[in-house]
Amino acid sequence: MLLADQWQDYEVLDCGGGEKLERWGDICLRRPDPQAIWPPRDPSLWRKAQAHYHRSDKGGGSWTFLTPLPERWVMRYRDLRFYVRPTGFKHTGLFPEQAVNWDWMSDLVRREVSRGKTVRVLNLFAYTGGATMACAAAGAQVCHVDAAKGMVQWARENRELCGLPEDSTRWIIDDALKFVQREARRGRFYDGILMDPPSYGRGPGGEIWKLENELYGLAKACADALCDDPLFFLINGYTTGFQASVLGNMIDMTVKPRFGGLITADEIGLPVTAGGVLPCGASGRWQRA
């Protein structure tokens, strides 16, 4: 398992009973987590919660704020900065477990840039731009693609907060598959491509997205959009329930036949202060041999 254990501003204090108790800077949030099916280890910790997201039997849910919270606040990871806030869908605008992938990609990018090479990265389903900021801060030119206009605006604000150059990132509001296919037709290729697709969603034109039906075609289109000597390819999966080997198999069938290279497929997790590890999905990684 790959552990995102380098955070200082974030920690999972405890988890259990289908929930997790997290510290986001100075603020403690209690949110659902379907992986945490065991009892909490330290029930006394849960009194720290300042806001609690409750799921509804009819779908969705809502927050109960136990103390007043700022509208948004800043989280730090290494030299990066991000705005977070409680949203209507339990999320905060950041997936802390992905820091373990940010570090992996950043190291690969920084190594290439130090050799005087230009590195172009495509981030699909890019949300508020955690991976975008990590790659841009390492010196990459990043194309950030998400179907939600509000998420792209949030990512723009994170770019400004990080103090990264305006020209470090290209912002695209579009359907991921259609965009990748157009880029390949235009002859615009990338050194690294990453994606964090939802299990279900809709594109900007109302297109229905079901991951089990779309992932192979998207991975194949991405392989066609990689340059002749690419650096990395990454598929994240949290909401899908896919095992890591599923993501590894997708890469083995789409990227490796053309480029060779090394594939790893692992669970991703977060350490829990009260004890244990919280599973947070899986990643399939490819990198140049």
Side-chain angles (χ1 to χ4, degrees):
M1 176 180 280
L2 303 173
L3 281 182
D5 57 2
Q6 297 301 304
W7 281 95
Q8 294 187 359
D9 273 13
Y10 173 86
E11 65 178 314
V12 180
L13 297 171
D14 197 7
C15 56
E19 294 186 303
K20 57 190 172 186
L21 179 68
E22 307 159 288
R23 179 180 64 81
W24 296 81
D26 296 328
I27 295 172
C28 291
L29 303 179
R30 181 174 177 173
R31 298 192 293 157
D33 195 299
Q35 298 288 336
I37 61 173
W38 50 86
R41 291 175 184 259
D42 188 350
S44 66
L45 286 173
W46 296 72
R47 292 194 293 267
K48 295 177 178 285
Q50 294 162 269
H52 185 185
Y53 187 88
H54 302 270
R55 286 198 184 278
S56 168
D57 294 337
K58 299 178 181 178
S62 62
W63 287 93
T64 298
F65 294 97
L66 307 174
T67 62
L69 298 185
E71 181 179 350
R72 67 178 182 177
W73 62 97
V74 176
M75 294 281 292
R76 297 170 298 161
Y77 183 75
R78 302 192 188 278
D79 294 331
L80 305 176
R81 302 290 185 274
F82 305 100
Y83 288 115
V84 296
R85 62 178 176 83
T87 71
F89 296 97
K90 88 167 182 175
H91 299 302
T92 64
L94 200 63
F95 293 101
E97 69 275 4
Q98 289 303 318
V100 72
N101 282 323
W102 303 343
D103 288 344
W104 173 69
M105 291 182 290
S106 295
D107 288 345
L108 293 174
V109 169
R110 197 172 288 113
R111 192 180 311 152
E112 289 293 287
V113 171
S114 70
R115 297 169 180 164
K117 297 181 180 180
T118 299
V119 178
R120 301 180 70 243
V121 172
L122 175 61
N123 185 6
L124 301 173
F125 310 94
Y127 195 47
T128 62
T132 295
M133 305 311 142
C135 290
Q141 294 292 312
V142 185
C143 183
H144 176 108
V145 181
D146 198 281
K149 183 177 181 180
M151 293 299 104
V152 173
Q153 178 58 34
W154 193 334
R156 285 177 176 269
E157 294 168 2
N158 282 337
R159 193 274 316 158
E160 185 175 352
L161 183 64
C162 287
L164 295 169
E166 289 188 21
D167 62 358
S168 65
T169 309
R170 177 184 172 207
W171 308 101
I172 303 293
I173 302 169
D174 203 350
D175 174 83
L177 177 59
K178 291 179 180 178
F179 179 77
V180 171
Q181 291 171 333
R182 284 201 305 273
E183 290 289 89
R185 288 197 298 269
R186 293 167 179 157
R188 192 174 287 160
F189 302 110
Y190 293 88
D191 301 277
I193 298 179
L194 65 141
M195 67 175 82
D196 195 356
S199 56
Y200 178 85
R202 290 184 181 272
E207 305 91 343
I208 295 176
W209 164 272
K210 289 186 178 181
L211 186 60
E212 62 269 29
N213 298 333
E214 306 290 346
L215 183 57
Y216 176 80
L218 179 58
K220 191 172 186 303
C222 287
D224 292 339
L226 287 167
C227 68
D228 290 336
D229 187 23
L231 190 58
F232 69 82
F233 183 68
L234 169 68
I235 305 176
N236 289 312
Y238 175 69
T239 62
T240 63
F242 290 159
Q243 294 188 20
S245 58
V246 174
L247 306 180
N249 286 342
M250 288 288 181
I251 298 171
D252 187 57
M253 295 178 68
T254 58
V255 176
K256 191 167 184 178
R258 179 180 172 192
F259 300 108
L262 305 173
I263 297 172
T264 56
D266 297 279
E267 284 188 83
I268 289 180
L270 287 162
V272 180
T273 302
V277 171
L278 178 64
C280 300
S283 285
R285 296 174 172 182
W286 174 92
Q287 71 181 83
R288 179 194 302 159

mmCIF file of all heavy atoms in Angstrom, residues 71-102:
data_model
loop_
_atom_site.group_PDB
_atom_site.id
_atom_site.type_symbol
_atom_site.label_atom_id
_atom_site.label_comp_id
_atom_site.label_asym_id
_atom_site.label_seq_id
_atom_site.Cartn_x
_atom_site.Cartn_y
_atom_site.Cartn_z
ATOM 1 N N GLU A 71 -15.553 30.599 5.754
ATOM 2 C CA GLU A 71 -16.117 30.171 4.468
ATOM 3 C C GLU A 71 -15.161 29.235 3.745
ATOM 4 O O GLU A 71 -15.572 28.264 3.120
ATOM 5 C CB GLU A 71 -16.420 31.386 3.599
ATOM 6 C CG GLU A 71 -17.030 31.031 2.256
ATOM 7 C CD GLU A 71 -17.341 32.240 1.414
ATOM 8 O OE1 GLU A 71 -17.263 33.365 1.939
ATOM 9 O OE2 GLU A 71 -17.661 32.065 0.217
ATOM 10 N N ARG A 72 -13.877 29.529 3.829
ATOM 11 C CA ARG A 72 -12.832 28.647 3.307
ATOM 12 C C ARG A 72 -11.540 28.962 4.040
ATOM 13 O O ARG A 72 -11.402 30.017 4.664
ATOM 14 C CB ARG A 72 -12.661 28.800 1.797
ATOM 15 C CG ARG A 72 -12.118 30.143 1.336
ATOM 16 C CD ARG A 72 -11.950 30.149 -0.173
ATOM 17 N NE ARG A 72 -11.382 31.422 -0.639
ATOM 18 C CZ ARG A 72 -11.075 31.687 -1.905
ATOM 19 N NH1 ARG A 72 -11.298 30.764 -2.840
ATOM 20 N NH2 ARG A 72 -10.552 32.843 -2.251
ATOM 21 N N TRP A 73 -10.590 28.022 3.976
ATOM 22 C CA TRP A 73 -9.307 28.244 4.615
ATOM 23 C C TRP A 73 -8.224 27.560 3.794
ATOM 24 O O TRP A 73 -8.517 26.854 2.812
ATOM 25 C CB TRP A 73 -9.319 27.777 6.068
ATOM 26 C CG TRP A 73 -9.574 26.316 6.306
ATOM 27 C CD1 TRP A 73 -8.647 25.335 6.517
ATOM 28 C CD2 TRP A 73 -10.860 25.665 6.384
ATOM 29 N NE1 TRP A 73 -9.262 24.123 6.713
ATOM 30 C CE2 TRP A 73 -10.617 24.294 6.654
ATOM 31 C CE3 TRP A 73 -12.184 26.108 6.288
ATOM 32 C CZ2 TRP A 73 -11.645 23.366 6.794
ATOM 33 C CZ3 TRP A 73 -13.203 25.180 6.426
ATOM 34 C CH2 TRP A 73 -12.937 23.835 6.672
ATOM 35 N N VAL A 74 -6.972 27.781 4.177
ATOM 36 C CA VAL A 74 -5.832 27.335 3.370
ATOM 37 C C VAL A 74 -5.162 26.123 4.009
ATOM 38 O O VAL A 74 -4.911 26.100 5.214
ATOM 39 C CB VAL A 74 -4.801 28.473 3.203
ATOM 40 C CG1 VAL A 74 -3.563 27.960 2.445
ATOM 41 C CG2 VAL A 74 -5.427 29.653 2.464
ATOM 42 N N MET A 75 -4.890 25.126 3.171
ATOM 43 C CA MET A 75 -4.132 23.942 3.565
ATOM 44 C C MET A 75 -2.783 23.961 2.849
ATOM 45 O O MET A 75 -2.696 24.377 1.683
ATOM 46 C CB MET A 75 -4.887 22.675 3.185
ATOM 47 C CG MET A 75 -6.182 22.482 3.935
ATOM 48 S SD MET A 75 -5.928 21.854 5.595
ATOM 49 C CE MET A 75 -5.316 20.198 5.229
ATOM 50 N N ARG A 76 -1.759 23.479 3.537
ATOM 51 C CA ARG A 76 -0.417 23.427 2.963
ATOM 52 C C ARG A 76 0.031 21.977 2.814
ATOM 53 O O ARG A 76 -0.216 21.143 3.684
ATOM 54 C CB ARG A 76 0.574 24.167 3.859
ATOM 55 C CG ARG A 76 0.305 25.657 4.028
ATOM 56 C CD ARG A 76 1.197 26.222 5.118
ATOM 57 N NE ARG A 76 0.903 25.583 6.400
ATOM 58 C CZ ARG A 76 1.735 25.596 7.448
ATOM 59 N NH1 ARG A 76 2.895 26.185 7.366
ATOM 60 N NH2 ARG A 76 1.385 24.993 8.582
ATOM 61 N N TYR A 77 0.705 21.715 1.708
ATOM 62 C CA TYR A 77 1.426 20.447 1.548
ATOM 63 C C TYR A 77 2.762 20.774 0.904
ATOM 64 O O TYR A 77 2.816 21.244 -0.235
ATOM 65 C CB TYR A 77 0.659 19.459 0.678
ATOM 66 C CG TYR A 77 1.385 18.118 0.575
ATOM 67 C CD1 TYR A 77 1.374 17.235 1.646
ATOM 68 C CD2 TYR A 77 2.112 17.772 -0.559
ATOM 69 C CE1 TYR A 77 2.063 16.030 1.591
ATOM 70 C CE2 TYR A 77 2.798 16.566 -0.631
ATOM 71 C CZ TYR A 77 2.770 15.700 0.454
ATOM 72 O OH TYR A 77 3.464 14.501 0.406
ATOM 73 N N ARG A 78 3.830 20.551 1.631
ATOM 74 C CA ARG A 78 5.166 20.959 1.180
ATOM 75 C C ARG A 78 5.111 22.435 0.800
ATOM 76 O O ARG A 78 4.735 23.262 1.633
ATOM 77 C CB ARG A 78 5.662 20.051 0.065
ATOM 78 C CG ARG A 78 5.730 18.556 0.474
ATOM 79 C CD ARG A 78 6.492 17.751 -0.553
ATOM 80 N NE ARG A 78 6.433 16.331 -0.319
ATOM 81 C CZ ARG A 78 7.192 15.649 0.539
ATOM 82 N NH1 ARG A 78 8.058 16.286 1.287
ATOM 83 N NH2 ARG A 78 7.073 14.346 0.666
ATOM 84 N N ASP A 79 5.443 22.796 -0.451
ATOM 85 C CA ASP A 79 5.416 24.198 -0.855
ATOM 86 C C ASP A 79 4.098 24.591 -1.529
ATOM 87 O O ASP A 79 3.985 25.708 -2.039
ATOM 88 C CB ASP A 79 6.568 24.486 -1.828
ATOM 89 C CG ASP A 79 7.929 24.342 -1.156
ATOM 90 O OD1 ASP A 79 8.010 24.567 0.064
ATOM 91 O OD2 ASP A 79 8.899 23.999 -1.855
ATOM 92 N N LEU A 80 3.124 23.701 -1.526
ATOM 93 C CA LEU A 80 1.852 23.963 -2.192
ATOM 94 C C LEU A 80 0.837 24.523 -1.201
ATOM 95 O O LEU A 80 0.912 24.268 -0.005
ATOM 96 C CB LEU A 80 1.316 22.680 -2.824
ATOM 97 C CG LEU A 80 2.247 21.964 -3.800
ATOM 98 C CD1 LEU A 80 1.619 20.663 -4.260
ATOM 99 C CD2 LEU A 80 2.576 22.861 -4.992
ATOM 100 N N ARG A 81 -0.141 25.260 -1.741
ATOM 101 C CA ARG A 81 -1.221 25.824 -0.940
ATOM 102 C C ARG A 81 -2.544 25.565 -1.657
ATOM 103 O O ARG A 81 -2.625 25.683 -2.882
ATOM 104 C CB ARG A 81 -1.040 27.344 -0.747
ATOM 105 C CG ARG A 81 0.267 27.754 -0.096
ATOM 106 C CD ARG A 81 0.311 27.363 1.364
ATOM 107 N NE ARG A 81 1.505 27.856 2.031
ATOM 108 C CZ ARG A 81 2.661 27.221 2.052
ATOM 109 N NH1 ARG A 81 2.787 26.056 1.422
ATOM 110 N NH2 ARG A 81 3.706 27.709 2.703
ATOM 111 N N PHE A 82 -3.587 25.232 -0.874
ATOM 112 C CA PHE A 82 -4.894 24.937 -1.445
ATOM 113 C C PHE A 82 -5.992 25.541 -0.575
ATOM 114 O O PHE A 82 -5.913 25.507 0.657
ATOM 115 C CB PHE A 82 -5.128 23.423 -1.515
ATOM 116 C CG PHE A 82 -4.062 22.658 -2.240
ATOM 117 C CD1 PHE A 82 -3.081 21.977 -1.525
ATOM 118 C CD2 PHE A 82 -4.025 22.614 -3.624
ATOM 119 C CE1 PHE A 82 -2.085 21.253 -2.181
ATOM 120 C CE2 PHE A 82 -3.039 21.900 -4.281
ATOM 121 C CZ PHE A 82 -2.070 21.224 -3.565
ATOM 122 N N TYR A 83 -7.024 26.046 -1.233
ATOM 123 C CA TYR A 83 -8.224 26.442 -0.521
ATOM 124 C C TYR A 83 -9.106 25.203 -0.295
ATOM 125 O O TYR A 83 -9.285 24.389 -1.209
ATOM 126 C CB TYR A 83 -9.032 27.457 -1.329
ATOM 127 C CG TYR A 83 -8.419 28.833 -1.394
ATOM 128 C CD1 TYR A 83 -7.974 29.359 -2.610
ATOM 129 C CD2 TYR A 83 -8.295 29.626 -0.252
ATOM 130 C CE1 TYR A 83 -7.415 30.620 -2.677
ATOM 131 C CE2 TYR A 83 -7.734 30.893 -0.316
ATOM 132 C CZ TYR A 83 -7.296 31.384 -1.533
ATOM 133 O OH TYR A 83 -6.755 32.645 -1.605
ATOM 134 N N VAL A 84 -9.667 25.072 0.891
ATOM 135 C CA VAL A 84 -10.634 24.015 1.155
ATOM 136 C C VAL A 84 -11.864 24.628 1.823
ATOM 137 O O VAL A 84 -11.788 25.686 2.448
ATOM 138 C CB VAL A 84 -10.057 22.888 2.060
ATOM 139 C CG1 VAL A 84 -8.911 22.178 1.379
ATOM 140 C CG2 VAL A 84 -9.626 23.431 3.412
ATOM 141 N N ARG A 85 -12.984 23.943 1.679
ATOM 142 C CA ARG A 85 -14.229 24.343 2.337
ATOM 143 C C ARG A 85 -15.190 23.165 2.296
ATOM 144 O O ARG A 85 -15.114 22.324 1.384
ATOM 145 C CB ARG A 85 -14.862 25.557 1.652
ATOM 146 C CG ARG A 85 -15.265 25.326 0.203
ATOM 147 C CD ARG A 85 -15.931 26.548 -0.383
ATOM 148 N NE ARG A 85 -16.237 26.389 -1.799
ATOM 149 C CZ ARG A 85 -17.318 25.775 -2.273
ATOM 150 N NH1 ARG A 85 -18.200 25.257 -1.419
ATOM 151 N NH2 ARG A 85 -17.525 25.672 -3.576
ATOM 152 N N PRO A 86 -16.110 23.052 3.232
ATOM 153 C CA PRO A 86 -17.127 22.003 3.168
ATOM 154 C C PRO A 86 -18.095 22.280 2.011
ATOM 155 O O PRO A 86 -18.664 23.362 1.934
ATOM 156 C CB PRO A 86 -17.842 22.106 4.524
ATOM 157 C CG PRO A 86 -16.920 22.891 5.397
ATOM 158 C CD PRO A 86 -16.196 23.820 4.484
ATOM 159 N N THR A 87 -18.253 21.323 1.120
ATOM 160 C CA THR A 87 -19.171 21.487 -0.008
ATOM 161 C C THR A 87 -20.454 20.692 0.239
ATOM 162 O O THR A 87 -20.534 19.893 1.169
ATOM 163 C CB THR A 87 -18.529 20.999 -1.315
ATOM 164 O OG1 THR A 87 -18.435 19.560 -1.287
ATOM 165 C CG2 THR A 87 -17.143 21.591 -1.498
ATOM 166 N N GLY A 88 -21.429 20.898 -0.628
ATOM 167 C CA GLY A 88 -22.714 20.227 -0.470
ATOM 168 C C GLY A 88 -22.677 18.737 -0.718
ATOM 169 O O GLY A 88 -23.661 18.042 -0.454
ATOM 170 N N PHE A 89 -21.562 18.200 -1.234
ATOM 171 C CA PHE A 89 -21.451 16.777 -1.527
ATOM 172 C C PHE A 89 -20.400 16.108 -0.654
ATOM 173 O O PHE A 89 -19.692 15.224 -1.111
ATOM 174 C CB PHE A 89 -21.128 16.570 -3.007
ATOM 175 C CG PHE A 89 -22.221 17.051 -3.913
ATOM 176 C CD1 PHE A 89 -22.158 18.310 -4.489
ATOM 177 C CD2 PHE A 89 -23.326 16.258 -4.166
ATOM 178 C CE1 PHE A 89 -23.178 18.760 -5.325
ATOM 179 C CE2 PHE A 89 -24.354 16.707 -4.995
ATOM 180 C CZ PHE A 89 -24.272 17.959 -5.565
ATOM 181 N N LYS A 90 -20.259 16.592 0.574
ATOM 182 C CA LYS A 90 -19.369 16.085 1.624
ATOM 183 C C LYS A 90 -17.895 16.387 1.387
ATOM 184 O O LYS A 90 -17.079 16.296 2.305
ATOM 185 C CB LYS A 90 -19.558 14.585 1.875
ATOM 186 C CG LYS A 90 -18.712 13.652 0.998
ATOM 187 C CD LYS A 90 -18.708 12.224 1.497
ATOM 188 C CE LYS A 90 -17.806 11.351 0.629
ATOM 189 N NZ LYS A 90 -17.682 9.990 1.128
ATOM 190 N N HIS A 91 -17.511 16.729 0.142
ATOM 191 C CA HIS A 91 -16.102 16.944 -0.160
ATOM 192 C C HIS A 91 -15.622 18.302 0.348
ATOM 193 O O HIS A 91 -16.423 19.168 0.716
ATOM 194 C CB HIS A 91 -15.853 16.824 -1.658
ATOM 195 C CG HIS A 91 -16.196 15.479 -2.215
ATOM 196 N ND1 HIS A 91 -15.619 14.325 -1.742
ATOM 197 C CD2 HIS A 91 -17.060 15.102 -3.194
ATOM 198 C CE1 HIS A 91 -16.108 13.274 -2.409
ATOM 199 N NE2 HIS A 91 -16.993 13.722 -3.280
ATOM 200 N N THR A 92 -14.310 18.474 0.316
ATOM 201 C CA THR A 92 -13.696 19.727 0.769
ATOM 202 C C THR A 92 -12.909 20.429 -0.329
ATOM 203 O O THR A 92 -12.370 21.509 -0.109
ATOM 204 C CB THR A 92 -12.732 19.460 1.932
ATOM 205 O OG1 THR A 92 -11.666 18.638 1.453
ATOM 206 C CG2 THR A 92 -13.439 18.769 3.095
ATOM 207 N N GLY A 93 -12.796 19.797 -1.493
ATOM 208 C CA GLY A 93 -11.982 20.361 -2.560
ATOM 209 C C GLY A 93 -10.584 19.784 -2.626
ATOM 210 O O GLY A 93 -9.766 20.233 -3.438
ATOM 211 N N LEU A 94 -10.293 18.796 -1.798
ATOM 212 C CA LEU A 94 -8.961 18.203 -1.787
ATOM 213 C C LEU A 94 -9.070 16.740 -1.372
ATOM 214 O O LEU A 94 -9.847 16.404 -0.472
ATOM 215 C CB LEU A 94 -8.069 18.958 -0.797
ATOM 216 C CG LEU A 94 -6.554 18.833 -0.954
ATOM 217 C CD1 LEU A 94 -6.095 19.400 -2.290
ATOM 218 C CD2 LEU A 94 -5.846 19.550 0.195
ATOM 219 N N PHE A 95 -8.286 15.879 -2.019
ATOM 220 C CA PHE A 95 -8.200 14.471 -1.652
ATOM 221 C C PHE A 95 -6.785 14.228 -1.121
ATOM 222 O O PHE A 95 -5.849 13.992 -1.901
ATOM 223 C CB PHE A 95 -8.497 13.585 -2.852
ATOM 224 C CG PHE A 95 -9.921 13.682 -3.333
ATOM 225 C CD1 PHE A 95 -10.241 14.454 -4.446
ATOM 226 C CD2 PHE A 95 -10.942 13.027 -2.663
ATOM 227 C CE1 PHE A 95 -11.554 14.558 -4.878
ATOM 228 C CE2 PHE A 95 -12.258 13.129 -3.081
ATOM 229 C CZ PHE A 95 -12.570 13.895 -4.194
ATOM 230 N N PRO A 96 -6.592 14.295 0.201
ATOM 231 C CA PRO A 96 -5.232 14.252 0.761
ATOM 232 C C PRO A 96 -4.442 13.005 0.416
ATOM 233 O O PRO A 96 -3.211 13.059 0.328
ATOM 234 C CB PRO A 96 -5.486 14.345 2.274
ATOM 235 C CG PRO A 96 -6.812 15.020 2.396
ATOM 236 C CD PRO A 96 -7.613 14.516 1.233
ATOM 237 N N GLU A 97 -5.133 11.864 0.221
ATOM 238 C CA GLU A 97 -4.393 10.633 -0.093
ATOM 239 C C GLU A 97 -3.628 10.738 -1.403
ATOM 240 O O GLU A 97 -2.639 10.033 -1.624
ATOM 241 C CB GLU A 97 -5.343 9.437 -0.135
ATOM 242 C CG GLU A 97 -6.311 9.430 -1.293
ATOM 243 C CD GLU A 97 -7.582 10.227 -1.035
ATOM 244 O OE1 GLU A 97 -7.680 10.869 0.042
ATOM 245 O OE2 GLU A 97 -8.479 10.200 -1.908
ATOM 246 N N GLN A 98 -4.057 11.649 -2.282
ATOM 247 C CA GLN A 98 -3.390 11.769 -3.578
ATOM 248 C C GLN A 98 -2.017 12.413 -3.477
ATOM 249 O O GLN A 98 -1.263 12.425 -4.451
ATOM 250 C CB GLN A 98 -4.280 12.552 -4.548
ATOM 251 C CG GLN A 98 -5.502 11.785 -5.011
ATOM 252 C CD GLN A 98 -5.135 10.462 -5.663
ATOM 253 O OE1 GLN A 98 -4.179 10.379 -6.442
ATOM 254 N NE2 GLN A 98 -5.883 9.413 -5.335
ATOM 255 N N ALA A 99 -1.663 12.926 -2.310
ATOM 256 C CA ALA A 99 -0.332 13.508 -2.147
ATOM 257 C C ALA A 99 0.769 12.494 -2.460
ATOM 258 O O ALA A 99 1.848 12.869 -2.921
ATOM 259 C CB ALA A 99 -0.165 14.052 -0.732
ATOM 260 N N VAL A 100 0.502 11.211 -2.238
ATOM 261 C CA VAL A 100 1.520 10.199 -2.530
ATOM 262 C C VAL A 100 1.761 10.111 -4.038
ATOM 263 O O VAL A 100 2.898 9.834 -4.476
ATOM 264 C CB VAL A 100 1.109 8.827 -1.932
ATOM 265 C CG1 VAL A 100 -0.035 8.183 -2.700
ATOM 266 C CG2 VAL A 100 2.304 7.890 -1.853
ATOM 267 N N ASN A 101 0.747 10.389 -4.836
ATOM 268 C CA ASN A 101 0.936 10.449 -6.284
ATOM 269 C C ASN A 101 1.528 11.782 -6.727
ATOM 270 O O ASN A 101 2.302 11.835 -7.687
ATOM 271 C CB ASN A 101 -0.398 10.200 -6.996
ATOM 272 C CG ASN A 101 -0.773 8.735 -7.041
ATOM 273 O OD1 ASN A 101 0.082 7.872 -7.193
ATOM 274 N ND2 ASN A 101 -2.061 8.440 -6.895
ATOM 275 N N TRP A 102 1.162 12.875 -6.044
ATOM 276 C CA TRP A 102 1.781 14.161 -6.362
ATOM 277 C C TRP A 102 3.297 14.061 -6.231
ATOM 278 O O TRP A 102 4.037 14.544 -7.097
ATOM 279 C CB TRP A 102 1.289 15.257 -5.431
ATOM 280 C CG TRP A 102 -0.189 15.481 -5.385
ATOM 281 C CD1 TRP A 102 -1.130 15.061 -6.290
ATOM 282 C CD2 TRP A 102 -0.906 16.190 -4.363
ATOM 283 N NE1 TRP A 102 -2.377 15.457 -5.890
ATOM 284 C CE2 TRP A 102 -2.270 16.151 -4.717
ATOM 285 C CE3 TRP A 102 -0.523 16.838 -3.190
ATOM 286 C CZ2 TRP A 102 -3.252 16.753 -3.931
ATOM 287 C CZ3 TRP A 102 -1.494 17.441 -2.410
ATOM 288 C CH2 TRP A 102 -2.843 17.406 -2.779
#
